[in-house]
Amino acid sequence: MGRIRKKFQSGTSSIYISRKKALKKLQLTLKDFRRLCILKGIYPREPLHKKKANKGSTENKIYYHVKDVNFLANEPLINKFREYKIFLRRLTRAKAKGQKDHAERLLENKPQFRLDLLVKERYPTFASALRDMDDALCLLFAFAALPRTKAVKGNVVADCRRLTTEFMHYVIESHSLTKTFVSIKGIYYQAEIMGEKITWIVPHERGIGHVTEVDFNVMATFVDFYVAMISFVNFRLYKALGLFYPPKLSNNVDEKNFVFEENDLDEKIYSLARPIARTQTSEPEPTIDTFSESDTQESLAEKMKIAQALRTLFAKCKFFLNREVSKEAMALIIRSCGGTVSWEGCIAKVYDEKNEKITHHVIDRPLDNVDINRAYVQPQWVFDSFNARKLLPTDKYAPGRTLPPHLSPFVEEKIGEYVPLEKIEQLKEDGKDITHLLKPDEDKKKEVKPKRQKTKPETPESGMSVKTGKVFKENLQKKLNQVGQELKLREMMIPKKHRRVYKKIKYGQKRQASEKKKLESKRQNN
Amino acid sequence: MGKGKKKGWKRVPREADENIHDVNLKRHISNLPDEEMFVIDTTALPLEEEKPAELTFKQKAALKHKLCKSALKDEDVDMKDLEFKTFPRVAFSSETIKTRSNKLDQASTKYDLWEEDNTKPAESTSNDFEAVGIEHYDKVLQRKRRKAPKATRFVPNIIPAVEIPKEGASYNPTLDSYVAYANQIVQEELKMEKAEKKINKNLPAKNVSNVGPGAEFEDFRSLLNRDEEEDASDDENPISTNVSSKTARTKPKTIKQKKLALLRKIQSLQKDKESMSKKQLQEFSNLKKTLRDVRKEEDEHKAKIAARKQQKVLDSLTKRKKLGRGEFKAYEEPVLLTEELTGSLRQLPSRGNILEERFKSLQKRNILPIAGERKKSNRKTTLKVKFVEKRSVKEVTKGSRVL
């Protein structure tokens, strides 16, 4: 007889392991296991045949690959987690016993672990790290605006803020911002860095409401990892561009007061108003995507021209932002196109509100005092000009006027898709050929204003009229049928335990009635 | 412990990358000038000159007692002559005391993680002797850069992390795009409402009837009474209430009729035979066409199989998988009502939460599992009181009632 092979010992059932079993194997708590999975980039799997994987039952479990779990088992971070647990235990003991100095000493020697190795493991090349920047940036920007809570530590929020500002400085210095779009939940940006298109959302500067479904511990772990990753990415980006890391202001006049004004210096850098110091003076050439095969020499040259033009879009403009305008967003866009910006209460301000050289004053509320030498615009002008790659006429965006709609640059025009009127007009101004975008009836639509309300037709198609009526005749047969149906329904509704009795009674009644009939017919015949 | 298990202890992988941070830290610290590592506290301010501490009588007496024991026994010591040296108190400014971790933390991220350092540690040392030693050591201890196993190079999803926003989600959209966007969201809402309605419809009706407990029997009885009444009035009613009446029974067939039926049957069978042979002839002539059709169908079938396979692979990379028991609720895209579409950035109401969107996106991209609620065990948690009848024999007397 051959060897007996038991079921569920090889194949699918031996590849996947449930979360509970994995916890037992690694001897970790669920919290630590979750943290470890997030930090190491281990994701749960869905097996093809759930029944096979679960050894016969179809319960919904979370499965992990056995090789992943074995990979986790050799992770030195587990020891750090255990050390931390022991540290906490000792700390609570010391505090409870009132041993203050012991507790202080423990806190000084708190076990710290570095995530450098994990970052290197998960992103062996710099390009792979850049590809994951989307997620990381969104999370960091979202966290930078949070208040400090038990799950969200204060230094984490400070780190997020610092790293996001550093990244924004890089984007400004490298002029890599390509698209912006203001939506309801936040502002979308897209930048092209070293050939990778990176898209991220920055929430509007408003208080974050009550969030019910987010697990902050999980997000905090993600943020820990991304903080480590982005600090290295920033370092490399800065080095590539020839900037000092950590960033210093370019014209640092007050070197002597360095020690005392340290906090102020950070704030100055955070404000994005001033350029940061470089080691080289030459700026790099604009990089464009050269991988599409349909590009010819002319289109490439055109793209280069457009990219170069974008860098100096606001070069001759001096902006002043009013108090209610979001400063980070404005500063990012204006400065990445070569302009200068300042606002009231800016720590690193270059010029004052009353400066005569100010060309544009960005204001979002009704106008008070008018200075003739400057153009007053609403903030949408900056976004739209950036997306259009040219300075749009400021009269349409004057404060108090209804603005033209804010279009998304992320939508591409394809033949057949509907293109909004504004874009058509813009393209016409640029002198481009738009016949392929127009549909035959769109010529008529051009004359109509975009925000016309559609009126519904008011006259109904079926008219009201009076006709002679028919006499209502009652159909007896129908009535009887209905009665019969009702009876049947009621018979159906009899509960089961009474149904047998009812049947028997009915049978008895029928028998009696039929007997009666027989007798009567006999009598009649006689 | 078996021999095989002990061998595994040596195989704990030692990576060359393990000490990447410490090496860089040491390098950084050794390169730092003294001024950055240490700070000389020049801000110490001496306090005002204090008078020598005044001793209490008790302290003076104790001192005197001690002095009496010493060599100055014979001499008369005057308390005023004794000077007690006091050192000036110095205030330390808190700025200069920097915790150890602060400086080191800042130092640690200032190196390039992706620096292409292709030189092996053996080649980095100039000393030949050392290089040979390092090489040998690496070989013996199996020090290599460990690769992540194939299973962990798993890509959970290829959907982009940040999805491109819709045109109608702009804070100042065009009319058409806004209407399209709002319609989409309205459709989703209608779907949800429909599902809710369906659930509510199938719920058991609450106690609507205000009839008492003996109602079912009354109903039953009324049915029977009704039947009796009906049977009585059956003859008077000319129109029959019998909906299902039997058809009239046919009379038995005569021999002639039987023969006719047989003939008809034989005729029909012959006709079928003829048509079959005709059909067969036709098929022979259309053989090529039928073969072509069959081949076409086969090709289509194969193409469908291939397409389905491709779609399956694509689905596994793009769709959300069910990881865990919990239910996934998609992120509701925020919409502005027409009243809120002022077109002013300042008056834009706050809608939607980026953190929630990110969290849901992570769940959608199969990165985070949705565990769901904890399983409730069917074990009974309350103790059941056991009713024990205790009877004592002595209670039973004349006239007592035992139930």
Side-chain angles (χ1 to χ4, degrees), chain B residues 13 44 47 72 79 92 151 207 219 277 281 292 317 388:
Chain B
L47 289 178
L72 304 165
M79 280 289 116
F92 290 103
N207 281 338
D219 217 13
S277 59
L281 274 173
R292 214 190 325 139
L317 284 173
V388 172

Side-chain angles (χ1 to χ4, degrees), chain A residues 19 42-46 59-62 64-65 67-68 71 108-109 112 114 116-117 119-120 123-126 129 134-135 138-139 142-143 146 181-185 188 199 201 203-204 206 208-209 211 213-216 218-219 222 231-233 235-236 239 246 324 364-366 379-380 383 403-408 410-411 418 420 422 450-452 476-477 480-481 483 487 490-491 494 498 502 505-506 509, chain B residues 13 15 17-18 20-21 95 100-101 105 108-116 146 148-149 151-152 154 156 161-167 169-176 181 216-217 219-220 222-224 226-228 230-231 235 237 239-241 243 312 321-325 329 331 333-336 343-346 348-360 362 365-371 375:
Chain A
R19 191 170 71 167
I42 303 284
Y43 311 112
R45 312 285 182 109
E46 194 192 34
E59 230 183 298
N60 265 327
K61 287 191 187 170
I62 302 174
Y64 290 88
H65 209 279
K67 281 200 177 163
D68 283 353
F71 178 54
E108 256 179 58
N109 299 327
Q112 290 173 333
R114 304 280 316 172
D116 308 359
L117 203 60
V119 174
K120 183 79 202 255
Y123 306 116
T125 58
F126 182 58
D134 289 8
D135 225 348
C138 287
L139 257 183
F143 258 66
L146 281 183
F181 176 57
V182 182
S183 86
I184 307 169
K185 41 180 175 181
Y188 284 81
T199 323
I201 318 178
H204 289 296
R206 272 157 245 271
I208 293 174
V211 190
E213 301 194 11
V214 177
D215 187 354
F216 272 99
V218 163
M219 300 308 257
F222 271 107
S231 58
F232 286 113
V233 168
F235 180 83
R236 182 130 170 161
K239 205 175 77 160
E324 67 279 352
D364 208 359
R365 54 163 87 142
Q380 202 186 307
F383 293 112
L403 298 166
H406 178 60
L407 302 165
S408 160
F410 292 99
V411 172
Y418 175 69
E422 286 70 33
K451 286 210 172 169
R452 184 190 68 155
L476 274 170
Q477 181 67 45
L480 287 164
N481 287 349
V483 162
L487 180 69
R490 286 177 68 195
E491 277 184 358
I494 298 174
H498 301 150
Y502 177 69
I505 294 172
K506 263 200 104 181
Q509 280 179 348
Chain B
E15 296 161 30
D17 291 343
E18 219 169 83
I20 193 171
H21 168 63
E95 281 175 30
R100 178 187 73 127
S101 50
D105 261 344
S108 359
T109 50
K110 291 176 197 165
Y111 65 94
D112 191 355
L113 190 68
W114 290 282
E115 213 176 278
E116 270 103 38
R146 180 166 39 122
T152 58
F154 171 71
V162 180
E163 284 175 10
I164 285 174
K166 300 213 172 80
E167 182 80 52
S170 159
Y171 88 104
N172 188 5
T174 58
L175 179 70
D176 300 312
Y181 181 65
E216 22 182 83
F217 289 106
D219 217 13
F220 187 61
S222 69
L223 267 173
L224 293 172
R226 199 181 186 181
D227 284 337
E228 284 173 9
E230 262 192 20
D231 287 335
D235 296 324
N237 220 326
I239 303 168
S240 64
T241 54
V243 185
K312 209 175 180 185
K321 297 185 190 163
K322 191 172 171 73
L323 307 155
R325 261 195 311 265
K329 286 185 205 151
Y331 177 66
E333 293 284 332
V335 204
L336 290 174
S344 158
L345 198 56
R346 181 171 58 98
L348 180 72
S350 69
R351 294 265 181 279
N353 196 319
I354 298 254
L355 271 175
E356 223 182 286
E357 197 232 346
R358 289 280 99 220
F359 190 68
K360 296 269 166 82
L362 287 169
R365 281 182 287 143
N366 304 325
I367 293 173
L368 286 178
I370 311 173
K375 263 198 295 188

Side-chain angles (χ1 to χ4, degrees), chain A residues 272-339:
Chain A
L272 296 177
R274 286 206 195 206
I276 51 179
R278 286 171 174 272
T279 53
Q280 310 157 244
T281 46
S282 64
E283 277 190 20
E285 292 282 313
T287 51
I288 46 167
D289 198 8
T290 52
F291 289 112
S292 48
E293 286 146 11
S294 57
D295 279 342
T296 55
Q297 276 284 331
E298 294 100 38
S299 56
L300 272 176
E302 223 185 270
K303 277 193 180 175
M304 290 277 290
K305 228 174 63 180
I306 293 171
Q308 194 67 36
L310 185 61
R311 292 184 169 208
T312 50
L313 183 63
F314 293 140
K316 294 174 190 161
C317 308
K318 267 192 148 149
F319 284 84
F320 189 81
L321 308 174
N322 217 23
R323 269 189 293 150
E324 67 279 352
V325 171
S326 71
K327 296 163 185 94
E328 257 184 30
M330 291 283 118
L332 180 63
I333 298 176
I334 292 167
R335 286 207 51 232
S336 66
C337 293

Side-chain angles (χ1 to χ4, degrees), chain B residues 61-331:
Chain B
L63 262 172
K64 205 175 176 185
H65 184 73
K66 275 198 176 166
L67 281 172
C68 286
K69 285 191 177 176
S70 68
L72 304 165
K73 219 200 256 181
D74 304 329
E75 291 175 27
D76 229 349
V77 185
D78 205 359
M79 280 289 116
K80 289 174 195 170
D81 293 340
L82 291 168
E83 277 181 18
F84 297 98
K85 226 177 172 184
T86 55
F87 296 95
R89 285 222 321 249
V90 177
F92 290 103
S93 61
S94 56
E95 281 175 30
T96 55
I97 298 174
K98 288 199 167 91
T99 47
R100 178 187 73 127
S101 50
N102 220 347
K103 277 266 169 182
L104 291 179
D105 261 344
Q106 284 187 12
S108 359
T109 50
K110 291 176 197 165
Y111 65 94
D112 191 355
L113 190 68
W114 290 282
E115 213 176 278
E116 270 103 38
D117 208 352
N118 293 323
T119 57
K120 294 186 188 166
E123 289 165 23
S124 59
T125 52
S126 51
N127 197 342
D128 269 339
F129 192 65
E130 232 184 276
V132 168
I134 292 174
E135 253 183 52
H136 173 77
Y137 208 48
D138 276 350
K139 221 186 197 176
V140 165
L141 290 182
Q142 296 175 335
R143 241 202 271 243
K144 316 176 211 196
R145 191 160 277 159
R146 180 166 39 122
K147 279 195 255 176
K150 252 192 199 167
T152 58
R153 286 191 225 125
F154 171 71
V155 176
N157 214 301
I158 54 173
I159 298 177
V162 180
E163 284 175 10
I164 285 174
K166 300 213 172 80
E167 182 80 52
S170 159
Y171 88 104
N172 188 5
T174 58
L175 179 70
D176 300 312
S177 60
Y178 172 71
V179 162
Y181 181 65
N183 271 337
Q184 260 183 358
I185 292 182
V186 162
Q187 295 300 323
E188 285 171 25
E189 284 262 323
L190 282 175
K191 263 194 220 170
M192 285 201 323
E193 258 186 39
K194 215 175 169 184
E196 254 193 66
K197 253 192 192 174
K198 208 176 177 184
I199 292 171
N200 284 335
K201 199 169 70 167
N202 290 337
L203 282 175
K206 293 182 185 170
N207 281 338
V208 181
S209 64
N210 36 18
V211 191
E216 22 182 83
F217 289 106
E218 277 194 34
D219 217 13
F220 187 61
R221 249 179 265 143
S222 69
L223 267 173
L224 293 172
N225 294 340
R226 199 181 186 181
D227 284 337
E228 284 173 9
E229 280 174 23
E230 262 192 20
D231 287 335
S233 60
D234 221 347
D235 296 324
E236 296 163 16
N237 220 326
I239 303 168
S240 64
T241 54
N242 235 350
V243 185
S244 56
S245 53
K246 275 190 193 169
T247 51
R249 205 191 262 182
T250 49
K251 289 185 190 157
K253 281 189 182 168
T254 54
I255 297 170
K256 219 184 181 180
Q257 281 178 338
K258 278 191 191 164
K259 275 194 182 166
L260 266 172
L262 196 68
L263 257 176
R264 268 186 234 132
K265 210 176 178 184
I266 292 168
Q267 274 179 2
S268 68
L269 276 172
Q270 273 185 341
K271 254 193 193 169
D272 284 339
K273 234 186 174 179
E274 275 177 29
S275 65
M276 273 296 292
S277 59
K278 261 194 193 168
K279 264 193 194 168
Q280 279 178 349
L281 274 173
Q282 272 185 354
E283 275 181 18
F284 269 120
S285 59
N286 294 343
L287 200 64
K288 261 195 183 173
K289 195 180 170 205
T290 46
L291 277 174
R292 214 190 325 139
D293 285 340
V294 164
R295 234 175 277 142
K296 204 168 127 190
E297 261 188 55
E298 256 190 55
D299 289 336
E300 276 176 19
H301 183 63
K302 279 189 191 159
K304 267 193 193 170
I305 290 174
R308 228 183 294 149
K309 262 195 187 170
Q310 215 185 40
Q311 188 62 30
K312 209 175 180 185
V313 169
L314 204 69
D315 278 347
S316 72
L317 284 173
T318 47
K319 287 219 171 126
R320 185 189 75 85
K321 297 185 190 163
K322 191 172 171 73
L323 307 155
R325 261 195 311 265
E327 209 187 278
F328 173 68
K329 286 185 205 151
Y331 177 66

